Amino acid sequence: MAANENTPDERTEPADHRPAREFRMADLAEEAGITVRTLRFYRERKLIPPPRREGRIAWYNEHHLARLRTIGALLERGHTLGGIAELLSAFDTGRDVGELLGLENTLVPPWSEETPVRLTPEELADHFSEDITAENLSTSLDIGYLAVDGDEFVHISRRLLDASTELVNQGIPLAAVLEAGRQVRAHADALADVFTTLIRTHLLSDVLARISACEDVGPHEVDHLTETIEKLRPLSKGVVEAELSMAMDRRVRAEVAKWLTEEGREGT
């Protein structure tokens, strides 16, 4: 009799070229606690990737099992299959985690002290609930807040994740939070350009010119470059924090004064 997807796994040992654990359809459904019919439905909806095939036999692996358990957890949290499909599709379109974290060689350590956060799809959904949409996920990936690593998301910053979550909890739509983040990113890049231009023009022009020209640069000059940049790290952060704090004071006072005027309660 020809083998089919529902035939129990009769192998005694996995072949060397196969993953450590693989399942036929019936075995995978049993492991995930669902019916074969449900598994077929998920596959037709593209909620799980296609299986590996050997002739007429379909082999599923641990990745498929993890996806099925994720789907089950999200359903228990009240998410619809449509929303789950949007969330899981980000795995196939997400930026590489190395790109997100900027893992390349540099002359100096990163200025940022942010801590990346790993999140399962259900944990990400817990943060933002019904605001998890295809558009919001696409924006998060585009800005660089999120990347995909295996069966998990990686958020670039614990502080940004906590701030975004709190803003959404206060009633601001995630789409608006992400748009604000995009604008803040643009302004932050402009501020960084101001400081790097200042450093390059007035402190490091000679050394950088020699490096660009591939001339010999001694260890002491490289050390000088690193030390100078390190000393300027707290200065730049202090200037931006001070200016932002004073700007917020000005704008908040102006907004309150405007509100009092409009309400006819100025001076009360």
Side-chain angles (χ1 to χ4, degrees):
M1 182 175 65
N4 57 57
E5 290 184 341
N6 296 326
T7 304
D9 188 355
E10 298 174 352
R11 296 174 300 158
T12 57
E13 294 183 3
D16 292 341
H17 66 281
R18 291 173 180 150
R21 291 188 70 194
E22 285 194 313
F23 313 89
R24 297 191 185 186
M25 177 176 275
D27 300 321
L28 178 66
E30 182 179 358
E31 284 280 342
I34 60 176
T35 65
V36 170
R37 181 178 179 181
T38 299
L39 176 54
R40 284 203 182 98
F41 175 73
Y42 288 165
R43 196 177 71 181
E44 291 169 358
R45 291 286 300 270
K46 301 187 185 305
L47 293 175
I48 62 173
R52 183 180 67 82
R53 288 194 173 273
E54 282 186 358
R56 297 183 59 188
I57 302 177
W59 293 111
Y60 299 84
N61 56 35
E62 294 280 1
H63 176 73
H64 294 96
L65 181 58
R67 282 291 185 92
L68 291 173
R69 287 172 174 167
T70 292
I71 293 169
L74 290 171
L75 288 172
E76 288 179 359
R77 287 165 166 79
H79 292 272
T80 65
L81 283 177
I84 294 171
E86 292 175 350
L87 178 59
L88 295 180
S89 69
F91 285 127
D92 300 320
T93 59
R95 298 171 60 196
D96 175 75
V97 67
E99 179 186 355
L100 171 79
L101 301 179
L103 302 179
E104 68 271 352
N105 293 326
T106 59
L107 284 171
V108 294
W111 279 36
S112 171
E113 299 172 351
E114 300 307 306
T115 303
V117 184
R118 304 186 73 88
L119 299 162
T120 63
E122 53 264 41
E123 287 171 340
L124 183 64
D126 284 343
H127 276 274
F128 301 112
S129 189
E130 66 272 7
D131 275 342
I132 294 295
T133 65
E135 183 177 0
N136 286 339
L137 284 170
S138 177
T139 300
S140 298
L141 293 162
D142 181 56
I143 295 175
Y145 282 178
L146 287 180
V148 175
D149 187 24
D151 283 321
E152 294 181 313
F153 288 104
V154 178
H155 195 288
I156 196 170
S157 165
R158 165 62 70 184
R159 289 196 295 180
L160 290 177
L161 175 62
D162 290 345
S164 298
T165 302
E166 182 59 28
L167 289 170
V168 170
N169 288 339
Q170 291 297 323
I172 301 176
L174 180 57
V177 172
L178 292 173
E179 177 55 32
R182 189 189 295 276
Q183 295 181 38
V184 169
R185 173 71 60 84
H187 290 299
D189 284 342
L191 287 170
D193 187 59
V194 169
F195 283 105
T196 54
T197 298
L198 192 69
I199 295 169
R200 182 178 65 252
T201 302
H202 299 285
L203 296 177
L204 303 173
S205 57
D206 291 341
V207 175
L208 292 174
R210 292 178 61 186
I211 293 176
S212 298
C214 297
E215 296 180 10
D216 291 336
V217 177
H220 66 284
E221 293 175 299
V222 175
D223 290 342
H224 171 67
L225 172 64
T226 302
E227 290 171 4
T228 300
I229 294 177
E230 283 294 309
K231 288 178 181 178
L232 292 172
R233 181 202 303 258
L235 295 178
S236 62
K237 290 185 176 181
V239 169
V240 172
E241 182 177 351
E243 288 288 357
L244 178 60
S245 298
M246 292 186 290
M248 287 298 296
D249 280 340
R250 293 192 297 270
R251 293 302 296 268
V252 169
R253 288 170 182 164
E255 288 295 323
V256 171
K258 179 180 178 182
W259 178 78
L260 289 174
T261 300
E262 292 174 349
E263 294 294 318
R265 291 184 285 178
E266 186 174 9
T268 61

